[in-house]
Tab-separated table of all heavy atoms in Angstrom:
chain	number	residue	atom	x	y	z
A	2	ILE	N	0.843	-1.203	0.000
A	2	ILE	CA	0.000	0.000	0.000
A	2	ILE	C	0.877	1.251	0.000
A	2	ILE	O	0.572	2.234	-0.689
A	2	ILE	CB	-0.952	-0.011	1.210
A	2	ILE	CG1	-1.932	-1.199	1.116
A	2	ILE	CG2	-1.725	1.304	1.293
A	2	ILE	CD1	-2.828	-1.190	-0.096
A	3	ALA	N	1.976	1.229	0.732
A	3	ALA	CA	2.877	2.395	0.753
A	3	ALA	C	3.417	2.687	-0.645
A	3	ALA	O	3.490	3.850	-1.057
A	3	ALA	CB	4.030	2.155	1.722
A	4	ALA	N	3.780	1.642	-1.380
A	4	ALA	CA	4.249	1.846	-2.758
A	4	ALA	C	3.122	2.369	-3.639
A	4	ALA	O	3.345	3.195	-4.532
A	4	ALA	CB	4.802	0.533	-3.318
A	5	GLY	N	1.895	1.898	-3.385
A	5	GLY	CA	0.744	2.401	-4.121
A	5	GLY	C	0.502	3.874	-3.858
A	5	GLY	O	0.210	4.652	-4.781
A	6	ILE	N	0.635	4.286	-2.595
A	6	ILE	CA	0.485	5.697	-2.247
A	6	ILE	C	1.539	6.538	-2.965
A	6	ILE	O	1.241	7.601	-3.528
A	6	ILE	CB	0.585	5.888	-0.722
A	6	ILE	CG1	-0.587	5.201	-0.017
A	6	ILE	CG2	0.637	7.372	-0.361
A	6	ILE	CD1	-0.436	5.110	1.492
A	7	LYS	N	2.776	6.049	-2.967
A	7	LYS	CA	3.874	6.760	-3.635
A	7	LYS	C	3.627	6.906	-5.129
A	7	LYS	O	4.004	7.913	-5.736
A	7	LYS	CB	5.178	6.011	-3.379
A	7	LYS	CG	6.414	6.724	-3.891
A	7	LYS	CD	7.680	5.955	-3.534
A	7	LYS	CE	8.925	6.663	-4.064
A	7	LYS	NZ	10.166	5.893	-3.725
A	8	LEU	N	2.950	5.928	-5.715
A	8	LEU	CA	2.621	5.982	-7.141
A	8	LEU	C	1.467	6.937	-7.416
A	8	LEU	O	1.512	7.732	-8.365
A	8	LEU	CB	2.239	4.580	-7.627
A	8	LEU	CG	1.747	4.456	-9.073
A	8	LEU	CD1	2.890	4.658	-10.058
A	8	LEU	CD2	1.071	3.102	-9.297
A	9	VAL	N	0.430	6.884	-6.600
A	9	VAL	CA	-0.829	7.562	-6.891
A	9	VAL	C	-0.828	9.025	-6.452
A	9	VAL	O	-1.354	9.893	-7.158
A	9	VAL	CB	-1.990	6.784	-6.239
A	9	VAL	CG1	-3.278	7.594	-6.234
A	9	VAL	CG2	-2.198	5.456	-6.960
A	10	GLU	N	-0.247	9.318	-5.297
A	10	GLU	CA	-0.339	10.681	-4.755
A	10	GLU	C	0.213	11.763	-5.684
A	10	GLU	O	-0.368	12.841	-5.779
A	10	GLU	CB	0.333	10.758	-3.381
A	10	GLU	CG	-0.580	10.313	-2.250
A	10	GLU	CD	-0.053	10.712	-0.885
A	10	GLU	OE1	1.193	10.822	-0.750
A	10	GLU	OE2	-0.868	10.912	0.034
A	11	PRO	N	1.332	11.540	-6.407
A	11	PRO	CA	1.863	12.621	-7.260
A	11	PRO	C	1.095	12.833	-8.560
A	11	PRO	O	1.370	13.807	-9.278
A	11	PRO	CB	3.291	12.133	-7.580
A	11	PRO	CG	3.590	11.045	-6.614
A	11	PRO	CD	2.275	10.413	-6.303
A	12	LEU	N	0.145	11.948	-8.884
A	12	LEU	CA	-0.562	12.076	-10.152
A	12	LEU	C	-1.356	13.379	-10.208
A	12	LEU	O	-1.922	13.823	-9.203
A	12	LEU	CB	-1.515	10.893	-10.348
A	12	LEU	CG	-0.883	9.501	-10.454
A	12	LEU	CD1	-1.981	8.433	-10.524
A	12	LEU	CD2	0.035	9.393	-11.671
A	13	SER	N	-1.429	13.950	-11.387
A	13	SER	CA	-2.256	15.147	-11.560
A	13	SER	C	-3.728	14.809	-11.385
A	13	SER	O	-4.494	15.577	-10.790
A	13	SER	CB	-2.013	15.750	-12.949
A	13	SER	OG	-0.681	16.173	-13.085
A	14	THR	N	-4.133	13.677	-11.928
A	14	THR	CA	-5.506	13.235	-11.699
A	14	THR	C	-5.645	12.795	-10.252
A	14	THR	O	-4.744	12.160	-9.692
A	14	THR	CB	-5.904	12.086	-12.640
A	14	THR	OG1	-7.266	11.713	-12.341
A	14	THR	CG2	-5.017	10.868	-12.468
A	15	LYS	N	-6.744	13.135	-9.658
A	15	LYS	CA	-7.033	12.686	-8.293
A	15	LYS	C	-8.160	11.650	-8.326
A	15	LYS	O	-8.876	11.462	-7.343
A	15	LYS	CB	-7.404	13.873	-7.401
A	15	LYS	CG	-6.294	14.916	-7.299
A	15	LYS	CD	-4.960	14.296	-6.873
A	15	LYS	CE	-3.802	15.283	-6.932
A	15	LYS	NZ	-2.487	14.630	-6.670
A	16	ASN	N	-8.247	10.968	-9.458
A	16	ASN	CA	-9.332	10.015	-9.645
A	16	ASN	C	-8.829	8.567	-9.705
A	16	ASN	O	-9.484	7.712	-10.276
A	16	ASN	CB	-10.119	10.348	-10.926
A	16	ASN	CG	-11.488	9.704	-10.933
A	16	ASN	OD1	-12.189	9.712	-9.913
A	16	ASN	ND2	-11.886	9.132	-12.057
A	17	VAL	N	-7.663	8.319	-9.128
A	17	VAL	CA	-7.149	6.958	-9.009
A	17	VAL	C	-7.094	6.594	-7.531
A	17	VAL	O	-6.520	7.326	-6.719
A	17	VAL	CB	-5.753	6.808	-9.633
A	17	VAL	CG1	-5.236	5.377	-9.473
A	17	VAL	CG2	-5.785	7.190	-11.106
A	18	LYS	N	-7.721	5.482	-7.175
A	18	LYS	CA	-7.765	5.015	-5.795
A	18	LYS	C	-7.098	3.639	-5.686
A	18	LYS	O	-6.905	2.948	-6.681
A	18	LYS	CB	-9.215	4.927	-5.297
A	18	LYS	CG	-10.001	6.228	-5.391
A	18	LYS	CD	-9.428	7.325	-4.504
A	18	LYS	CE	-10.252	8.598	-4.565
A	18	LYS	NZ	-9.669	9.684	-3.752
A	19	LEU	N	-6.792	3.242	-4.470
A	19	LEU	CA	-6.095	1.989	-4.217
A	19	LEU	C	-7.049	0.896	-3.748
A	19	LEU	O	-8.104	1.168	-3.162
A	19	LEU	CB	-5.013	2.193	-3.162
A	19	LEU	CG	-3.875	3.131	-3.544
A	19	LEU	CD1	-2.951	3.347	-2.357
A	19	LEU	CD2	-3.086	2.595	-4.737
A	20	LEU	N	-6.633	-0.334	-4.005
A	20	LEU	CA	-7.397	-1.510	-3.595
A	20	LEU	C	-6.549	-2.341	-2.628
A	20	LEU	O	-5.638	-3.050	-3.054
A	20	LEU	CB	-7.780	-2.360	-4.818
A	20	LEU	CG	-8.814	-3.475	-4.638
A	20	LEU	CD1	-9.265	-3.996	-6.003
A	20	LEU	CD2	-8.315	-4.644	-3.809
A	21	PRO	N	-6.804	-2.254	-1.333
A	21	PRO	CA	-6.171	-3.186	-0.408
A	21	PRO	C	-6.803	-4.581	-0.557
A	21	PRO	O	-7.988	-4.761	-0.306
A	21	PRO	CB	-6.481	-2.598	0.972
A	21	PRO	CG	-6.900	-1.183	0.724
A	21	PRO	CD	-7.563	-1.206	-0.622
A	22	ASP	N	-6.000	-5.524	-1.017
A	22	ASP	CA	-6.424	-6.918	-1.120
A	22	ASP	C	-5.795	-7.651	0.061
A	22	ASP	O	-4.570	-7.721	0.184
A	22	ASP	CB	-5.954	-7.504	-2.457
A	22	ASP	CG	-6.324	-8.965	-2.629
A	22	ASP	OD1	-5.916	-9.791	-1.780
A	22	ASP	OD2	-7.000	-9.294	-3.624
A	23	LEU	N	-6.620	-8.220	0.921
A	23	LEU	CA	-6.112	-8.744	2.185
A	23	LEU	C	-5.217	-9.959	1.999
A	23	LEU	O	-4.355	-10.226	2.846
A	23	LEU	CB	-7.280	-9.062	3.125
A	23	LEU	CG	-8.171	-7.859	3.460
A	23	LEU	CD1	-9.264	-8.253	4.446
A	23	LEU	CD2	-7.352	-6.694	4.014
A	24	PHE	N	-5.371	-10.698	0.902
A	24	PHE	CA	-4.463	-11.805	0.615
A	24	PHE	C	-3.070	-11.270	0.277
A	24	PHE	O	-2.057	-11.711	0.846
A	24	PHE	CB	-4.987	-12.649	-0.540
A	24	PHE	CG	-3.963	-13.613	-1.091
A	24	PHE	CD1	-3.632	-14.766	-0.400
A	24	PHE	CD2	-3.324	-13.348	-2.298
A	24	PHE	CE1	-2.675	-15.646	-0.892
A	24	PHE	CE2	-2.372	-14.228	-2.806
A	24	PHE	CZ	-2.046	-15.376	-2.097
A	25	HIS	N	-2.984	-10.336	-0.647
A	25	HIS	CA	-1.690	-9.757	-1.002
A	25	HIS	C	-1.064	-9.046	0.200
A	25	HIS	O	0.156	-9.124	0.417
A	25	HIS	CB	-1.851	-8.776	-2.165
A	25	HIS	CG	-2.306	-9.413	-3.428
A	25	HIS	ND1	-1.600	-10.398	-4.065
A	25	HIS	CD2	-3.417	-9.206	-4.199
A	25	HIS	CE1	-2.237	-10.774	-5.171
A	25	HIS	NE2	-3.345	-10.067	-5.261
A	26	MET	N	-1.874	-8.350	0.974
A	26	MET	CA	-1.366	-7.631	2.141
A	26	MET	C	-0.801	-8.591	3.176
A	26	MET	O	0.196	-8.287	3.840
A	26	MET	CB	-2.473	-6.770	2.748
A	26	MET	CG	-2.940	-5.652	1.835
A	26	MET	SD	-4.231	-4.656	2.592
A	26	MET	CE	-3.251	-3.605	3.664
């Protein structure tokens, strides 16, 4: 999730959200 935040937060679009999948987590 931390890597996902690092990827998504700098985007100009604010319309990308993350999916926590409990198996992967």
Side-chain angles (χ1 to χ4, degrees):
I2 296 299
I6 295 169
K7 186 177 179 181
L8 175 71
V9 167
E10 276 194 331
L12 297 175
S13 297
T14 180
K15 300 307 173 187
N16 199 43
V17 179
K18 303 296 182 182
L19 296 174
L20 192 168
D22 179 302
L23 301 183
F24 167 75
H25 296 300
M26 295 181 80

